[in-house]
Amino acid sequence: MLKKRPLISVIINCYNGEKFLKQCIKSVLSQTYKNWEIIFFDNNSSDQSVKILNSFRDKRIKFFNNKKRNHLKLYKARNLAINKANGEYITFLDTDDMWKKNKLEKQIKLIAKDPDAKIIYSNYLVIDENKKKIYLKHKEKLPSGFITQKLLNNYCVGVITLCINKKIFRQYKFQEKYDIIGDFDYVINLSKKFKIFVVQEPLSSYRIHQS
């Protein structure tokens, strides 16, 4: 069992995410598990994203931005945000997505039961612009353990569902050359080295919208 309730870092990378940002942040604030910090990394947004973030008065929210004028690739920005994190575990939430209120609680309980649980994911919902459920992403039972081949056959890990021990990031980082498939590449590489654990129920919501 865990002797304490570890700090969890929530990585929110933002680039012009104003439309759904309030809903995103509120889904973290409403978590039943309270020992978290948000690492909000703004990648030169030109909209009201930073103003919206500053409207939340919570000391657990920590703001960082891209010091350079050029827009960084997502996975460069992800790595920079992770470097700012203080938590024992790293999680990810994009500005247009949301978490179920017990997302962190469920994953920490799994960590408490099994010390090998260093990488955890879950099922998730696909929703529309109005938070209306469209469908459950995976209707079949999701795999766990050493699952590289299963992931290659049918990739099922949503980055917004992940919870990863921060020590792993000391050795394995996102490949910064990618624009889109960096999450896939990262999880596949981790699956070759570590067991991957799963919570079968949907703990996150992935939003489909026009932009």
Side-chain angles (χ1 to χ4, degrees):
M1 294 291 292
L2 290 175
K3 295 181 180 179
K4 55 187 177 62
R5 294 170 73 79
L7 178 66
I8 299 178
S9 295
V10 184
I11 305 297
I12 299 181
N13 286 98
C14 178
Y15 176 63
N16 291 344
E18 65 179 4
K19 187 171 184 179
F20 303 109
L21 184 55
K22 280 187 179 180
Q23 294 175 23
C24 167
I25 294 174
K26 284 180 179 178
S27 79
V28 181
L29 292 172
S30 66
Q31 288 296 299
T32 56
Y33 186 88
K34 299 300 183 183
N35 193 21
W36 51 260
E37 64 173 6
I38 287 177
I39 303 297
F40 188 93
F41 188 92
D42 185 69
N43 198 354
N44 286 330
S45 292
S46 58
D47 64 359
Q48 298 297 308
S49 293
V50 175
K51 184 177 181 180
I52 291 168
L53 177 75
N54 290 334
S55 71
F56 290 93
R57 303 296 182 183
D58 194 306
K59 293 180 179 179
R60 295 171 294 179
I61 300 175
K62 299 167 185 177
F63 173 78
F64 302 92
N65 62 357
N66 173 13
K67 301 296 184 183
K68 299 179 180 180
R69 292 184 179 180
N70 61 306
H71 178 76
L72 299 174
K73 286 188 175 182
L74 173 60
Y75 299 102
K76 173 69 172 178
R78 283 220 203 280
N79 284 335
L80 288 172
I82 291 165
N83 289 342
K84 304 294 186 182
N86 300 301
E88 294 181 46
Y89 293 88
I90 304 293
T91 59
F92 301 92
L93 184 58
D94 291 333
T95 56
D96 48 0
D97 300 326
M98 299 186 302
W99 282 346
K100 194 175 176 180
K101 66 181 182 179
N102 62 348
K103 192 264 189 191
L104 297 179
E105 191 80 51
K106 288 274 187 178
Q107 292 183 316
I108 287 299
K109 284 182 178 179
L110 182 53
I111 291 168
K113 290 179 181 178
D114 193 328
D116 289 332
K118 293 179 170 54
I119 305 169
I120 305 163
Y121 75 108
S122 76
N123 208 337
Y124 60 97
L125 300 176
V126 178
I127 62 173
D128 66 13
E129 293 196 22
N130 300 312
K131 299 193 291 185
K132 184 177 179 181
K133 176 184 171 182
I134 301 177
Y135 56 85
L136 178 68
K137 179 62 177 178
H138 302 288
K139 294 181 173 60
E140 69 282 0
K141 185 176 180 179
L142 296 172
S144 63
F146 290 103
I147 58 172
T148 305
Q149 189 58 54
K150 291 179 180 178
L151 292 179
L152 289 172
N153 292 342
N154 181 25
Y155 189 74
C156 55
V157 180
V159 67
I160 60 170
T161 74
L162 281 170
C163 180
I164 303 176
N165 191 300
K166 191 186 178 186
K167 292 179 180 178
I168 290 174
F169 289 97
R170 295 174 186 170
Q171 188 174 358
Y172 301 96
K173 297 185 182 298
F174 287 102
Q175 290 288 330
E176 297 178 359
K177 62 185 177 181
Y178 293 127
D179 284 319
I180 299 173
I181 65 166
D183 302 334
F184 170 83
D185 170 79
Y186 188 70
V187 173
I188 292 295
N189 284 324
L190 290 187
S191 73
K192 299 173 185 177
K193 305 290 184 181
F194 302 95
K195 286 183 178 180
I196 296 182
F197 290 70
V198 66
V199 176
Q200 293 293 339
E201 68 182 273
L203 299 180
S204 304
S205 294
Y206 176 84
R207 193 190 308 263
I208 292 178
H209 55 94
Q210 288 183 343
S211 59

mmCIF file with all atom_site columns, all heavy atoms in Angstrom, residues 15-29:
data_model
loop_
_atom_site.group_PDB
_atom_site.id
_atom_site.type_symbol
_atom_site.label_atom_id
_atom_site.label_alt_id
_atom_site.label_comp_id
_atom_site.label_asym_id
_atom_site.label_entity_id
_atom_site.label_seq_id
_atom_site.pdbx_PDB_ins_code
_atom_site.Cartn_x
_atom_site.Cartn_y
_atom_site.Cartn_z
_atom_site.occupancy
_atom_site.B_iso_or_equiv
_atom_site.pdbx_formal_charge
_atom_site.auth_seq_id
_atom_site.auth_comp_id
_atom_site.auth_asym_id
_atom_site.auth_atom_id
_atom_site.pdbx_PDB_model_num
ATOM 1   N N   . TYR A 1 15 ? -2.262  25.708 -26.940 1.00 0.00 ? 15 TYR A N   1
ATOM 2   C CA  . TYR A 1 15 ? -2.058  26.655 -28.040 1.00 0.00 ? 15 TYR A CA  1
ATOM 3   C C   . TYR A 1 15 ? -3.428  27.069 -28.546 1.00 0.00 ? 15 TYR A C   1
ATOM 4   O O   . TYR A 1 15 ? -4.130  26.270 -29.170 1.00 0.00 ? 15 TYR A O   1
ATOM 5   C CB  . TYR A 1 15 ? -1.221  26.032 -29.159 1.00 0.00 ? 15 TYR A CB  1
ATOM 6   C CG  . TYR A 1 15 ? -1.072  26.964 -30.359 1.00 0.00 ? 15 TYR A CG  1
ATOM 7   C CD1 . TYR A 1 15 ? -0.419  28.182 -30.234 1.00 0.00 ? 15 TYR A CD1 1
ATOM 8   C CD2 . TYR A 1 15 ? -1.623  26.628 -31.593 1.00 0.00 ? 15 TYR A CD2 1
ATOM 9   C CE1 . TYR A 1 15 ? -0.309  29.049 -31.310 1.00 0.00 ? 15 TYR A CE1 1
ATOM 10  C CE2 . TYR A 1 15 ? -1.516  27.485 -32.677 1.00 0.00 ? 15 TYR A CE2 1
ATOM 11  C CZ  . TYR A 1 15 ? -0.855  28.693 -32.527 1.00 0.00 ? 15 TYR A CZ  1
ATOM 12  O OH  . TYR A 1 15 ? -0.745  29.552 -33.588 1.00 0.00 ? 15 TYR A OH  1
ATOM 13  N N   . ASN A 1 16 ? -3.834  28.272 -28.214 1.00 0.00 ? 16 ASN A N   1
ATOM 14  C CA  . ASN A 1 16 ? -5.148  28.802 -28.608 1.00 0.00 ? 16 ASN A CA  1
ATOM 15  C C   . ASN A 1 16 ? -6.285  27.848 -28.245 1.00 0.00 ? 16 ASN A C   1
ATOM 16  O O   . ASN A 1 16 ? -7.069  27.429 -29.088 1.00 0.00 ? 16 ASN A O   1
ATOM 17  C CB  . ASN A 1 16 ? -5.170  29.114 -30.101 1.00 0.00 ? 16 ASN A CB  1
ATOM 18  C CG  . ASN A 1 16 ? -4.274  30.292 -30.455 1.00 0.00 ? 16 ASN A CG  1
ATOM 19  O OD1 . ASN A 1 16 ? -3.866  31.067 -29.589 1.00 0.00 ? 16 ASN A OD1 1
ATOM 20  N ND2 . ASN A 1 16 ? -3.951  30.423 -31.734 1.00 0.00 ? 16 ASN A ND2 1
ATOM 21  N N   . GLY A 1 17 ? -6.353  27.528 -26.963 1.00 0.00 ? 17 GLY A N   1
ATOM 22  C CA  . GLY A 1 17 ? -7.352  26.568 -26.492 1.00 0.00 ? 17 GLY A CA  1
ATOM 23  C C   . GLY A 1 17 ? -8.511  27.185 -25.751 1.00 0.00 ? 17 GLY A C   1
ATOM 24  O O   . GLY A 1 17 ? -9.158  26.516 -24.942 1.00 0.00 ? 17 GLY A O   1
ATOM 25  N N   . GLU A 1 18 ? -8.815  28.460 -26.016 1.00 0.00 ? 18 GLU A N   1
ATOM 26  C CA  . GLU A 1 18 ? -9.776  29.191 -25.195 1.00 0.00 ? 18 GLU A CA  1
ATOM 27  C C   . GLU A 1 18 ? -11.178 28.590 -25.170 1.00 0.00 ? 18 GLU A C   1
ATOM 28  O O   . GLU A 1 18 ? -11.880 28.683 -24.162 1.00 0.00 ? 18 GLU A O   1
ATOM 29  C CB  . GLU A 1 18 ? -9.860  30.650 -25.656 1.00 0.00 ? 18 GLU A CB  1
ATOM 30  C CG  . GLU A 1 18 ? -10.414 30.827 -27.053 1.00 0.00 ? 18 GLU A CG  1
ATOM 31  C CD  . GLU A 1 18 ? -10.517 32.295 -27.481 1.00 0.00 ? 18 GLU A CD  1
ATOM 32  O OE1 . GLU A 1 18 ? -10.077 33.173 -26.711 1.00 0.00 ? 18 GLU A OE1 1
ATOM 33  O OE2 . GLU A 1 18 ? -11.023 32.556 -28.595 1.00 0.00 ? 18 GLU A OE2 1
ATOM 34  N N   . LYS A 1 19 ? -11.610 27.967 -26.255 1.00 0.00 ? 19 LYS A N   1
ATOM 35  C CA  . LYS A 1 19 ? -13.011 27.575 -26.391 1.00 0.00 ? 19 LYS A CA  1
ATOM 36  C C   . LYS A 1 19 ? -13.464 26.605 -25.307 1.00 0.00 ? 19 LYS A C   1
ATOM 37  O O   . LYS A 1 19 ? -14.569 26.740 -24.762 1.00 0.00 ? 19 LYS A O   1
ATOM 38  C CB  . LYS A 1 19 ? -13.260 26.979 -27.778 1.00 0.00 ? 19 LYS A CB  1
ATOM 39  C CG  . LYS A 1 19 ? -14.734 26.704 -28.053 1.00 0.00 ? 19 LYS A CG  1
ATOM 40  C CD  . LYS A 1 19 ? -14.978 26.323 -29.497 1.00 0.00 ? 19 LYS A CD  1
ATOM 41  C CE  . LYS A 1 19 ? -16.462 26.145 -29.777 1.00 0.00 ? 19 LYS A CE  1
ATOM 42  N NZ  . LYS A 1 19 ? -16.736 25.784 -31.184 1.00 0.00 ? 19 LYS A NZ  1
ATOM 43  N N   . PHE A 1 20 ? -12.625 25.629 -24.986 1.00 0.00 ? 20 PHE A N   1
ATOM 44  C CA  . PHE A 1 20 ? -13.034 24.600 -24.030 1.00 0.00 ? 20 PHE A CA  1
ATOM 45  C C   . PHE A 1 20 ? -12.164 24.579 -22.774 1.00 0.00 ? 20 PHE A C   1
ATOM 46  O O   . PHE A 1 20 ? -12.282 23.674 -21.950 1.00 0.00 ? 20 PHE A O   1
ATOM 47  C CB  . PHE A 1 20 ? -12.982 23.216 -24.698 1.00 0.00 ? 20 PHE A CB  1
ATOM 48  C CG  . PHE A 1 20 ? -13.824 23.112 -25.939 1.00 0.00 ? 20 PHE A CG  1
ATOM 49  C CD1 . PHE A 1 20 ? -13.226 23.031 -27.189 1.00 0.00 ? 20 PHE A CD1 1
ATOM 50  C CD2 . PHE A 1 20 ? -15.206 23.108 -25.866 1.00 0.00 ? 20 PHE A CD2 1
ATOM 51  C CE1 . PHE A 1 20 ? -13.991 22.934 -28.343 1.00 0.00 ? 20 PHE A CE1 1
ATOM 52  C CE2 . PHE A 1 20 ? -15.984 23.020 -27.011 1.00 0.00 ? 20 PHE A CE2 1
ATOM 53  C CZ  . PHE A 1 20 ? -15.379 22.927 -28.254 1.00 0.00 ? 20 PHE A CZ  1
ATOM 54  N N   . LEU A 1 21 ? -11.301 25.573 -22.615 1.00 0.00 ? 21 LEU A N   1
ATOM 55  C CA  . LEU A 1 21 ? -10.302 25.539 -21.547 1.00 0.00 ? 21 LEU A CA  1
ATOM 56  C C   . LEU A 1 21 ? -10.924 25.536 -20.158 1.00 0.00 ? 21 LEU A C   1
ATOM 57  O O   . LEU A 1 21 ? -10.455 24.829 -19.258 1.00 0.00 ? 21 LEU A O   1
ATOM 58  C CB  . LEU A 1 21 ? -9.342  26.716 -21.697 1.00 0.00 ? 21 LEU A CB  1
ATOM 59  C CG  . LEU A 1 21 ? -8.172  26.770 -20.703 1.00 0.00 ? 21 LEU A CG  1
ATOM 60  C CD1 . LEU A 1 21 ? -7.373  25.480 -20.729 1.00 0.00 ? 21 LEU A CD1 1
ATOM 61  C CD2 . LEU A 1 21 ? -7.277  27.967 -21.008 1.00 0.00 ? 21 LEU A CD2 1
ATOM 62  N N   . LYS A 1 22 ? -11.982 26.315 -19.952 1.00 0.00 ? 22 LYS A N   1
ATOM 63  C CA  . LYS A 1 22 ? -12.617 26.342 -18.629 1.00 0.00 ? 22 LYS A CA  1
ATOM 64  C C   . LYS A 1 22 ? -13.112 24.956 -18.232 1.00 0.00 ? 22 LYS A C   1
ATOM 65  O O   . LYS A 1 22 ? -12.929 24.523 -17.087 1.00 0.00 ? 22 LYS A O   1
ATOM 66  C CB  . LYS A 1 22 ? -13.776 27.343 -18.616 1.00 0.00 ? 22 LYS A CB  1
ATOM 67  C CG  . LYS A 1 22 ? -13.348 28.784 -18.451 1.00 0.00 ? 22 LYS A CG  1
ATOM 68  C CD  . LYS A 1 22 ? -14.560 29.685 -18.270 1.00 0.00 ? 22 LYS A CD  1
ATOM 69  C CE  . LYS A 1 22 ? -14.118 31.133 -18.074 1.00 0.00 ? 22 LYS A CE  1
ATOM 70  N NZ  . LYS A 1 22 ? -15.283 32.041 -17.891 1.00 0.00 ? 22 LYS A NZ  1
ATOM 71  N N   . GLN A 1 23 ? -13.746 24.263 -19.158 1.00 0.00 ? 23 GLN A N   1
ATOM 72  C CA  . GLN A 1 23 ? -14.257 22.925 -18.869 1.00 0.00 ? 23 GLN A CA  1
ATOM 73  C C   . GLN A 1 23 ? -13.111 21.971 -18.545 1.00 0.00 ? 23 GLN A C   1
ATOM 74  O O   . GLN A 1 23 ? -13.213 21.142 -17.636 1.00 0.00 ? 23 GLN A O   1
ATOM 75  C CB  . GLN A 1 23 ? -15.063 22.407 -20.053 1.00 0.00 ? 23 GLN A CB  1
ATOM 76  C CG  . GLN A 1 23 ? -16.338 23.188 -20.319 1.00 0.00 ? 23 GLN A CG  1
ATOM 77  C CD  . GLN A 1 23 ? -17.047 22.729 -21.580 1.00 0.00 ? 23 GLN A CD  1
ATOM 78  O OE1 . GLN A 1 23 ? -16.853 21.597 -22.035 1.00 0.00 ? 23 GLN A OE1 1
ATOM 79  N NE2 . GLN A 1 23 ? -17.871 23.600 -22.156 1.00 0.00 ? 23 GLN A NE2 1
ATOM 80  N N   . CYS A 1 24 ? -12.026 22.095 -19.287 1.00 0.00 ? 24 CYS A N   1
ATOM 81  C CA  . CYS A 1 24 ? -10.846 21.263 -19.059 1.00 0.00 ? 24 CYS A CA  1
ATOM 82  C C   . CYS A 1 24 ? -10.315 21.452 -17.646 1.00 0.00 ? 24 CYS A C   1
ATOM 83  O O   . CYS A 1 24 ? -10.138 20.480 -16.892 1.00 0.00 ? 24 CYS A O   1
ATOM 84  C CB  . CYS A 1 24 ? -9.779  21.619 -20.097 1.00 0.00 ? 24 CYS A CB  1
ATOM 85  S SG  . CYS A 1 24 ? -8.130  20.983 -19.757 1.00 0.00 ? 24 CYS A SG  1
ATOM 86  N N   . ILE A 1 25 ? -10.071 22.700 -17.259 1.00 0.00 ? 25 ILE A N   1
ATOM 87  C CA  . ILE A 1 25 ? -9.489  22.972 -15.938 1.00 0.00 ? 25 ILE A CA  1
ATOM 88  C C   . ILE A 1 25 ? -10.456 22.608 -14.819 1.00 0.00 ? 25 ILE A C   1
ATOM 89  O O   . ILE A 1 25 ? -10.056 22.057 -13.785 1.00 0.00 ? 25 ILE A O   1
ATOM 90  C CB  . ILE A 1 25 ? -9.061  24.450 -15.851 1.00 0.00 ? 25 ILE A CB  1
ATOM 91  C CG1 . ILE A 1 25 ? -7.911  24.711 -16.833 1.00 0.00 ? 25 ILE A CG1 1
ATOM 92  C CG2 . ILE A 1 25 ? -8.630  24.812 -14.428 1.00 0.00 ? 25 ILE A CG2 1
ATOM 93  C CD1 . ILE A 1 25 ? -7.493  26.155 -16.946 1.00 0.00 ? 25 ILE A CD1 1
ATOM 94  N N   . LYS A 1 26 ? -11.733 22.887 -15.007 1.00 0.00 ? 26 LYS A N   1
ATOM 95  C CA  . LYS A 1 26 ? -12.719 22.537 -13.984 1.00 0.00 ? 26 LYS A CA  1
ATOM 96  C C   . LYS A 1 26 ? -12.762 21.030 -13.729 1.00 0.00 ? 26 LYS A C   1
ATOM 97  O O   . LYS A 1 26 ? -13.035 20.593 -12.611 1.00 0.00 ? 26 LYS A O   1
ATOM 98  C CB  . LYS A 1 26 ? -14.103 23.048 -14.389 1.00 0.00 ? 26 LYS A CB  1
ATOM 99  C CG  . LYS A 1 26 ? -14.270 24.550 -14.205 1.00 0.00 ? 26 LYS A CG  1
ATOM 100 C CD  . LYS A 1 26 ? -15.663 25.002 -14.631 1.00 0.00 ? 26 LYS A CD  1
ATOM 101 C CE  . LYS A 1 26 ? -15.842 26.503 -14.414 1.00 0.00 ? 26 LYS A CE  1
ATOM 102 N NZ  . LYS A 1 26 ? -17.187 26.958 -14.862 1.00 0.00 ? 26 LYS A NZ  1
ATOM 103 N N   . SER A 1 27 ? -12.480 20.230 -14.772 1.00 0.00 ? 27 SER A N   1
ATOM 104 C CA  . SER A 1 27 ? -12.494 18.776 -14.586 1.00 0.00 ? 27 SER A CA  1
ATOM 105 C C   . SER A 1 27 ? -11.326 18.301 -13.720 1.00 0.00 ? 27 SER A C   1
ATOM 106 O O   . SER A 1 27 ? -11.392 17.232 -13.115 1.00 0.00 ? 27 SER A O   1
ATOM 107 C CB  . SER A 1 27 ? -12.494 18.059 -15.943 1.00 0.00 ? 27 SER A CB  1
ATOM 108 O OG  . SER A 1 27 ? -11.204 18.023 -16.545 1.00 0.00 ? 27 SER A OG  1
ATOM 109 N N   . VAL A 1 28 ? -10.260 19.110 -13.654 1.00 0.00 ? 28 VAL A N   1
ATOM 110 C CA  . VAL A 1 28 ? -9.161  18.809 -12.729 1.00 0.00 ? 28 VAL A CA  1
ATOM 111 C C   . VAL A 1 28 ? -9.509  19.309 -11.332 1.00 0.00 ? 28 VAL A C   1
ATOM 112 O O   . VAL A 1 28 ? -9.314  18.611 -10.327 1.00 0.00 ? 28 VAL A O   1
ATOM 113 C CB  . VAL A 1 28 ? -7.840  19.429 -13.207 1.00 0.00 ? 28 VAL A CB  1
ATOM 114 C CG1 . VAL A 1 28 ? -6.707  19.075 -12.236 1.00 0.00 ? 28 VAL A CG1 1
ATOM 115 C CG2 . VAL A 1 28 ? -7.490  18.961 -14.611 1.00 0.00 ? 28 VAL A CG2 1
ATOM 116 N N   . LEU A 1 29 ? -10.049 20.507 -11.238 1.00 0.00 ? 29 LEU A N   1
ATOM 117 C CA  . LEU A 1 29 ? -10.426 21.070 -9.942  1.00 0.00 ? 29 LEU A CA  1
ATOM 118 C C   . LEU A 1 29 ? -11.452 20.202 -9.217  1.00 0.00 ? 29 LEU A C   1
ATOM 119 O O   . LEU A 1 29 ? -11.480 20.173 -7.978  1.00 0.00 ? 29 LEU A O   1
ATOM 120 C CB  . LEU A 1 29 ? -10.997 22.478 -10.138 1.00 0.00 ? 29 LEU A CB  1
ATOM 121 C CG  . LEU A 1 29 ? -10.017 23.557 -10.610 1.00 0.00 ? 29 LEU A CG  1
ATOM 122 C CD1 . LEU A 1 29 ? -10.766 24.840 -10.943 1.00 0.00 ? 29 LEU A CD1 1
ATOM 123 C CD2 . LEU A 1 29 ? -8.941  23.821 -9.576  1.00 0.00 ? 29 LEU A CD2 1
#
